[in-house]
Amino acid sequence: MILFIMVVSPPFYYLIRIYASTHENHPLSIPLTTSENHILSADRKPERLYAEVVVNIPLNKVFHYTIPQNLKDHLTAGMRVKIPFGGKIITGFCVGFTNISFPYPLKDIITVVDKAPLTNDIMLKLTRWLSSHYYCGWGEAIHAVVPPVIRSKTKDQWTAFVKKSDCISEIDHNKLLSIRTRAPKQARALEILLESSGEIPVKELIRISGCTKQGLLQLERKGFLIIENKLSNSRGPSVHNRPIQQHLTFTEEQHLAFKRIHERLKEAKPGVVLLHGITGSGKTEIYLQTITKIIEQGRKVIFLVPEISLTSQTIQRIRARFSRTAVLHSHLLESYYHSQWNDVKENKIDIVLGARSSVFCPLKNVGLIIIDEEHENTYKQENTPRYHARDIAVRRAAEENALVLLGTATPALESYYSATQGVYERLVLSKRIGECQLPRIEIVDMREEVRKRRGYHIISQRLEYSMNQALAKNEQIILFLNRRGFAPYIHCKRCGFVLKCQQCDIPMTLHKNPNIVLCHYCHAEVFPPEFCPDCLDGHLNYRGFGTEKIEDVIAARFPHRKVARMDSDSMRRRNAHEKILMAFERREIDILIGTQMIAKGLDFPNVTLVGVISADTMLNIPDFRASERTFQLIAQVAGRAGRGSKGGCVIVQSFTPKHYSITYAAAHDYEGFAKKELEYRKQLNYPPFRKLARIVFRSPKEDNVREKALTVADTLKGFAQTSGDLEILGPSPAPLMKINTLFRWHLFLRSESYTSIHNALYGIENMLKPSKSVQAMVDVDPYMML
């Protein structure tokens, strides 16, 4: 082992590198430092003797390889390479070069995989910071940044599309009436084509019109339409085709907010603006007109949304104003995703719209990053690397001298607190557009409901009465319940048996379509038992309710109304979100039932009633953010009502009607809730007043996981004694103690600064290495406590 000490200036600090052989038993590795100078530009080619390579493993190490002469002119940072590693041939990412000599022989790179770099210098710096802050391997970070479809070869996929022929515009009312008499579904297909300004996928037209493929072929033979096969990557997901729209006129509040954002853009400095606007206050219009200013400056925009279900309406609004727009999310066809990614990389795109991973897109010259509904926990990734898109956006904006615009009606308390401390700038929109008012929110005390009706009913009398009133006026209704399935657990009345997952020790949920009992954590499936496995009694009770049961109840009470359900069970097919939202917009659905995917970002003026079936589902979760999430969900789902001239009403059913998160949400009082919740957080030393990291230990054997957790905790408490501001909470069994055959314990690190947490984590790095007996998972800034 040889030690090299290098003095770097300015600033003056020592960068210590420990080198070892790349032999299988002595891997040459470099512990990562925080220095950004380690990443060399792809343009730096003189004396590139050795390549610095990272691999997709949970070790924060850089490995060195010699570059064969035939590869020296081709290899640049950001490309993948084939390398010998641990007796195998694997793929790694070249992240830089060095000309420092080594006393040990190094192995050669075998080949270069890519013709062009998959990541640029900014992404290499960003992923390096990500790996350091979120405690994961640099290779793991890069692996997450470059989507799987980009790392693999994609075959062309063909799709059939329908478009109008020249003669269809000449069809008169009598002709259409004649077709409707003989073939009503063919007539419906023609009507849809006449309403559309572009082409429609054959499968979608069949679904909407009910016309068969043979029926469409008959219409083609008669000259009414044309069916063509096209490469799927030639177009994106289906959206409404609408003419290019002009910008709308601002209200006074919108104008003042936009003016201030424009001033920040002209300053050409990185920063963060929190646009805190109530639901329906016109935040999207401010986004769109701000995008116009950015494009006029010759710069680009990244627009993040929390859910794929939100992209349909958002795509419509953006593409109604801007043509050079790309959409990136995991539900796209691989060929289309690949095509969009290449367009972004080749500078053919001005705006990239997508979910959290789009923050890493290869867009150049980014001037603005918009994060809509910034409070959503879906911006936090729950597998390695466990990054938060908001923090990545702020870091990328600093690298690219860009502005981050956070928009929400219910800011995350971390963002709100940063605004109160002057770290972010907060702009407030307190009024809805036009004459629209925030909906009236009524709280139904379900305890009193049970007493009066001598039993529990899922739909209260007040909610049922309001539903009848709304439907009588042909208005639409949204019912919200943040629990999917039919019945959350199966219970034996005689002996008390509860059917649990054998792999997770968690109650299993009954799903009626298909008729299975499912574990929502490991996805194990069994058929519903006919009798109790313990006492063999046949009186099993299906307790609780989910969205499936709500759908059954509502369909039975309103048999002549169209009811639809929107949750992760019913939305598994590609474009399923778009199709149901399009049908709801066309008023083909009267009552929409769903989980939190319907609670945000949707704008339907004919929705006048929203019912929150149970406001208590989040409150009893052992998580310090439970009250915040309850407030946000109620406020957000309430915001779907009354967005048109008809006004709106929200009925909230609760067994804890006096809880402050519910009462403040009913009063539309975010400031009051934030003040009270921040007081509790400060007393308990929780974020945003302290930084937090969580370590979860997992093992098939409970004794092993307990012993490992206790050993690591003892070592960390030794660090805490010398650190001063570091606290160790735990260890203890995790709330969900067993998932997918693995027992789970966890502990928390809490400190005033990230530095103390990072120092402690890297101080026990060897103890956290993966092993066959116990796995350790580190989550910095955790959002899930289960």
Side-chain angles (χ1 to χ4, degrees):
M1 189 78 71
I2 295 181
L3 179 69
F4 290 83
I5 300 180
M6 304 168 60
V7 179
V8 183
S9 172
F12 299 97
Y13 59 91
Y14 291 96
L15 174 62
I16 303 178
R17 292 183 170 183
I18 303 176
Y19 296 104
S21 168
T22 52
H23 188 271
E24 180 175 345
N25 297 324
H26 303 283
L28 171 63
S29 60
I30 303 178
L32 291 174
T33 70
T34 57
S35 169
E36 301 291 359
N37 299 324
H38 175 72
I39 299 169
L40 303 182
S41 170
D43 296 331
R44 177 176 172 180
K45 292 188 177 181
E47 301 184 28
R48 299 190 308 166
L49 300 179
Y50 308 106
E52 299 179 318
V53 179
V54 295
V55 294
N56 184 27
I57 57 175
L59 290 176
N60 223 350
K61 306 289 183 181
V62 175
F63 301 91
H64 287 74
Y65 291 84
T66 56
I67 309 171
Q69 194 63 38
N70 64 319
L71 299 180
K72 282 189 176 181
D73 292 335
H74 176 57
L75 180 62
T76 59
M79 288 183 173
R80 288 175 297 170
V81 292
K82 291 286 186 181
I83 54 173
F85 188 89
K88 300 178 181 179
I89 304 298
I90 66 169
T91 301
F93 272 92
C94 176
V95 295
F97 306 92
T98 182
N99 55 11
I100 298 174
S101 299
F102 296 89
Y104 298 99
L106 304 182
K107 294 181 180 180
D108 286 350
I109 289 175
I110 297 172
T111 187
V112 178
V113 176
D114 305 303
K115 295 180 180 179
L118 297 184
T119 60
N120 56 25
D121 290 347
I122 288 177
M123 282 299 104
L124 290 177
K125 289 181 181 179
L126 192 61
T127 51
R128 184 168 193 189
W129 173 84
L130 188 158
S131 67
S132 177
H133 181 73
Y134 290 104
Y135 194 83
C136 67
W138 192 358
E140 289 180 301
I142 298 176
H143 195 77
V145 165
V146 182
V149 64
I150 305 303
R151 299 193 303 265
S152 61
K153 295 181 179 180
T154 303
K155 296 181 180 179
D156 290 335
Q157 298 179 8
W158 295 80
T159 302
F161 293 95
V162 182
K163 66 179 182 180
K164 292 177 287 190
S165 65
D166 293 337
C167 71
I168 194 174
S169 58
E170 300 175 3
I171 190 170
D172 58 18
H173 176 74
N174 291 332
K175 182 70 173 176
L176 193 60
L177 185 61
S178 173
I179 297 173
R180 188 181 294 117
T181 302
R182 301 190 319 270
K185 293 180 179 179
Q186 290 185 18
R188 175 60 179 152
L190 288 177
E191 289 171 352
I192 293 170
L193 272 180
L194 284 167
E195 293 171 2
S196 172
S197 60
E199 57 190 15
I200 302 175
V202 166
K203 289 183 179 180
E204 184 173 341
L205 185 57
I206 290 173
R207 183 193 64 81
I208 297 172
S209 66
C211 183
T212 63
K213 189 173 182 180
Q214 290 299 322
L216 294 180
L217 290 172
Q218 288 178 15
L219 291 174
E220 184 183 34
R221 286 194 292 269
K222 293 175 182 178
F224 291 123
L225 53 83
I226 299 171
I227 300 177
E228 292 180 339
N229 286 322
K230 290 188 175 184
L231 282 174
S232 298
N233 60 10
S234 65
R235 59 181 285 134
S238 57
V239 296
H240 288 300
N241 294 295
R242 295 176 176 174
I244 297 296
Q245 295 178 354
Q246 300 298 315
H247 290 318
L248 304 179
T249 303
F250 279 145
T251 64
E252 183 178 354
E253 275 191 332
Q254 284 178 305
H255 175 72
L256 292 174
F258 174 74
K259 182 180 177 182
R260 179 55 190 147
I261 294 169
H262 190 206
E263 290 172 355
R264 291 292 301 267
L265 292 175
K266 289 193 292 186
E267 292 173 5
K269 294 179 181 178
V272 182
V273 172
L274 174 61
L275 184 60
H276 182 185
I278 64 172
T279 56
S281 60
K283 296 184 291 293
T284 301
E285 186 62 28
I286 293 177
Y287 299 156
L288 297 177
Q289 296 199 32
T290 303
I291 290 172
T292 299
K293 293 297 181 183
I294 286 290
I295 294 175
E296 287 174 355
Q297 296 175 8
R299 305 193 73 186
K300 312 292 185 181
V301 180
I302 298 174
F303 194 129
L304 302 183
V305 293
E307 293 275 359
I308 298 307
S309 60
L310 298 181
T311 59
S312 178
Q313 285 193 326
T314 308
I315 291 170
Q316 293 172 31
R317 293 171 182 172
I318 291 179
R319 284 186 169 164
R321 308 278 180 97
F322 309 101
S323 57
R324 288 163 52 95
T325 302
V327 179
L328 298 175
H329 58 72
S330 58
H331 288 208
L332 294 174
L333 293 172
E334 289 186 0
S335 55
Y336 177 67
Y337 193 111
H338 202 281
S339 173
Q340 292 276 272
W341 182 275
N342 286 336
D343 285 347
V344 172
K345 198 172 181 181
E346 293 168 8
N347 211 31
K348 298 178 182 178
I349 296 297
D350 293 326
I351 306 166
V352 171
L353 174 70
R356 62 174 176 261
S357 61
S358 297
V359 74
F360 299 113
C361 70
L363 200 61
K364 299 172 185 175
N365 195 20
V366 174
L368 177 68
I369 304 176
I370 298 171
I371 304 182
D372 193 26
E373 309 291 357
E374 68 87 27
H375 64 278
E376 285 294 332
N377 61 1
T378 49
Y379 285 121
K380 170 72 172 180
Q381 177 146 309
E382 293 302 330
N383 52 6
T384 304
R386 292 174 171 80
Y387 66 87
H388 196 295
R390 179 185 61 227
D391 299 329
I392 298 296
V394 172
R395 188 75 182 189
R396 178 167 184 174
E399 292 287 347
E400 304 212 37
N401 205 28
L403 182 71
V404 176
L405 181 56
L406 308 175
T408 179
T410 54
L413 285 178
E414 290 84 353
S415 299
Y416 177 79
Y417 182 73
S418 292
T420 63
Q421 301 302 300
V423 179
Y424 298 169
E425 181 174 356
R426 179 170 170 253
L427 305 175
V428 178
L429 302 175
S430 60
K431 299 176 183 177
R432 279 189 161 184
I433 298 296
E435 301 298 323
C436 298
Q437 301 295 318
L438 286 169
R440 181 182 77 260
I441 299 181
E442 299 180 22
I443 303 175
V444 176
D445 187 342
M446 295 302 286
R447 299 169 301 179
E448 189 69 14
E449 182 84 8
V450 170
R451 186 186 67 80
K452 286 181 178 179
R453 301 177 72 179
R454 297 183 179 181
Y456 179 71
H457 294 76
I458 295 174
I459 305 298
S460 65
Q461 290 177 320
R462 183 73 184 96
L463 178 55
E464 186 171 359
Y465 172 80
S466 299
M467 291 178 69
N468 281 312
Q469 292 291 101
L471 292 173
K473 301 174 186 176
N474 290 321
E475 296 167 352
Q476 291 170 291
I477 299 168
I478 289 177
L479 298 180
F480 168 77
L481 176 67
N482 203 28
R483 185 192 298 128
R484 61 192 177 97
F486 187 86
Y489 66 99
I490 301 173
H491 169 255
C492 177
K493 293 180 180 179
R494 180 179 177 183
C495 70
F497 167 83
V498 174
L499 180 63
K500 293 185 177 181
C501 174
Q502 294 182 356
Q503 300 183 101
C504 299
D505 196 32
I506 294 169
M508 301 182 78
T509 301
L510 174 67
H511 290 251
K512 287 188 69 177
N513 187 21
N515 188 32
I516 58 169
V517 180
L518 177 68
C519 174
H520 285 176
Y521 290 90
C522 73
H523 307 293
E525 297 180 4
V526 297
F527 289 111
E530 297 180 2
F531 49 82
C532 175
D534 275 12
C535 68
L536 303 181
D537 187 81
H539 295 86
L540 289 174
N541 194 12
Y542 296 94
R543 304 295 298 271
F545 53 89
T547 49
E548 263 193 317
K549 189 168 185 177
I550 300 298
E551 184 181 26
D552 274 12
V553 170
I554 297 302
R557 293 196 185 184
F558 303 95
H560 302 297
R561 296 292 180 170
K562 176 64 175 176
V563 180
R565 176 168 52 92
M566 194 171 178
D567 55 26
S568 57
D569 295 320
S570 60
M571 297 290 106
R572 290 179 179 176
R573 294 185 179 180
R574 181 179 284 113
N575 296 336
H577 303 87
E578 297 173 35
K579 293 172 183 176
I580 198 168
L581 293 178
M582 286 170 61
F584 196 61
E585 185 174 18
R586 291 193 301 266
R587 303 189 185 182
E588 296 172 4
I589 297 171
D590 299 305
I591 304 170
L592 180 61
I593 301 165
T595 55
Q596 60 184 347
M597 64 175 61
I598 66 168
K600 55 249 180 183
L602 303 180
D603 189 350
F604 299 107
N606 197 45
V607 173
T608 60
L609 176 65
V610 168
V612 179
I613 303 299
S614 175
D616 311 311
T617 52
M618 298 291 292
L619 280 177
N620 297 320
I621 294 175
D623 188 331
F624 71 90
R625 290 190 177 91
S627 296
E628 180 183 7
R629 287 175 180 158
T630 299
F631 175 89
Q632 289 170 341
L633 278 172
I634 295 174
Q636 288 289 335
V637 75
R640 302 316 107 206
R643 297 174 80 94
S645 58
K646 300 176 182 178
C649 176
V650 181
I651 307 296
V652 178
Q653 300 181 165
S654 174
F655 282 94
T656 54
K658 300 298 183 182
H659 193 280
Y660 66 94
S661 64
I662 297 175
T663 57
Y664 278 119
H668 300 291
D669 186 2
Y670 175 85
E671 300 278 351
F673 169 78
K675 181 179 179 181
K676 191 174 190 70
E677 181 68 10
L678 285 173
E679 287 176 358
Y680 288 145
R681 298 274 185 95
K682 189 172 185 179
Q683 292 173 11
L684 298 171
N685 287 330
Y686 279 121
F689 300 98
R690 292 290 190 276
K691 311 303 179 187
L692 201 64
R694 181 187 186 216
I695 306 177
V696 179
F697 303 92
R698 297 174 292 192
S699 174
K701 296 183 178 180
E702 188 174 1
D703 290 342
N704 288 353
V705 74
R706 183 194 303 110
E707 182 180 350
K708 182 71 173 182
L710 291 169
T711 302
V712 171
D714 288 342
T715 305
L716 284 172
K717 288 173 182 177
F719 280 102
Q721 290 177 354
T722 59
S723 170
D725 71 335
L726 179 67
E727 297 178 78
I728 308 301
L729 308 178
S732 65
L736 297 180
M737 189 176 175
K738 185 182 179 185
I739 295 180
N740 204 11
T741 72
L742 298 177
F743 291 94
R744 305 164 76 247
W745 277 54
H746 67 167
L747 61 81
F748 293 89
L749 294 81
R750 187 166 65 186
S751 176
E752 292 182 358
S753 69
Y754 285 118
T755 302
S756 296
I757 290 176
H758 288 153
N759 288 342
L761 289 174
Y762 284 105
I764 60 168
E765 186 173 12
N766 288 333
M767 300 181 73
L768 299 179
K769 286 181 179 179
S771 68
K772 292 182 179 180
S773 58
V774 181
Q775 304 168 10
M777 180 275 288
V778 177
D779 190 1
V780 177
D781 299 327
Y783 264 60
M784 299 298 293
M785 305 296 165
L786 298 180

